[in-house]
Amino acid sequence: MIFAECALSLIDRTEANLKRIEELQSAFVVPVLNEWRYAIRHVVTMAGNGGDAETNKATGHLKRAYFDSCDIVIDCQLNVIAAVQGKCLGYRKAVLEVAPDYAKWMETARRAQKAHRAAQLKHGEEREAAFDSLSGTIGELDAVMDALASLSEEIASAVRWARFRFWLGAVGSIAVIVSAIATVVALFLR
């Protein structure tokens, strides 16, 4: 692949990730933009009096920008899923009643974490291939987030009711204990 084709491909994939990041969080994406800035500097230098060294530098920065954008997208997605999971802790059974695929979605998130970690450990061409394979993982996490969003009210309601039933049971148990203690105390006071 010639430099222009490689650069455009990396720019397109990074831009797609930046759009996803923007949807997930409005924070400024510094690492990706820094790599793009460095890449553009090398591209301009290459166009002026360039050579293979500038081409390699520009390509390297564009790849790192792409890798950084994948990192940020997956981190944002996993943070969204973790926030939902945190609200459901201890109430899995209630959540499964309204979202039967919930366990499968959490397993998808765990697999995504492992795939992401594995990609980060790769180097050279293996790293680019590993990050390219993360596009499927990013798509799976998008699907999980969409499913969680579509059932968010049902999940929240199921968790609220489960909490209510728990506390109602706890209060009932305390009432039984207090009643038993009151009965024993009343027997002794007679």
Side-chain angles (χ1 to χ4, degrees):
M1 183 182 301
I2 63 172
F3 172 74
E5 290 172 352
C6 177
L8 285 175
S9 172
L10 289 165
I11 289 169
D12 288 343
R13 291 180 284 170
T14 304
E15 187 174 16
N17 283 342
L18 288 173
K19 288 177 183 175
R20 277 191 170 114
I21 293 165
E22 187 177 40
E23 290 172 8
L24 293 167
Q25 71 175 29
S26 60
F28 192 68
V29 188
V30 175
V32 178
L33 297 179
N34 278 339
E35 292 299 340
W36 270 22
R37 180 173 53 90
Y38 301 142
I40 296 304
R41 178 181 303 280
H42 292 296
V43 169
V44 169
T45 303
M46 181 183 66
N49 61 0
D52 288 342
E54 292 300 323
T55 300
N56 291 338
K57 289 178 184 177
T59 302
H61 286 296
L62 288 171
K63 285 181 181 180
R64 285 190 294 281
Y66 171 60
F67 302 154
D68 289 346
S69 70
C70 289
D71 287 338
I72 294 168
V73 168
I74 289 176
D75 285 346
C76 289
Q77 290 173 313
L78 290 173
N79 285 339
V80 168
I81 293 168
V84 172
Q85 187 180 25
K87 293 176 183 175
C88 297
L89 284 179
Y91 302 101
R92 185 181 183 99
K93 185 178 176 184
V95 173
L96 287 170
E97 289 175 11
V98 296
D101 291 332
Y102 180 77
K104 182 177 81 172
W105 300 332
M106 294 307 110
E107 181 54 35
T108 298
R110 282 188 286 282
R111 275 195 327 273
Q113 282 179 309
K114 289 179 184 176
H116 185 220
R117 242 179 279 128
Q120 290 174 318
L121 297 174
K122 301 288 184 187
H123 299 284
E125 290 180 17
E126 287 182 354
R127 184 175 176 94
E128 188 172 357
F131 271 87
D132 282 343
S133 73
L134 289 178
S135 67
T137 301
I138 289 169
E140 289 176 359
L141 291 175
D142 278 342
V144 168
M145 289 186 345
D146 289 345
L148 287 169
S150 71
L151 291 171
S152 64
E153 289 180 28
E154 290 87 349
I155 291 171
S157 178
V159 169
R160 274 193 308 274
W161 276 108
R163 282 188 182 130
F164 176 74
R165 286 190 301 270
F166 170 79
W167 286 110
L168 187 62
V171 168
S173 296
I174 291 169
V176 167
I177 293 169
V178 168
S179 176
I181 292 171
T183 302
V184 169
V185 169
L187 288 174
F188 283 116
L189 294 177
R190 282 190 199 178

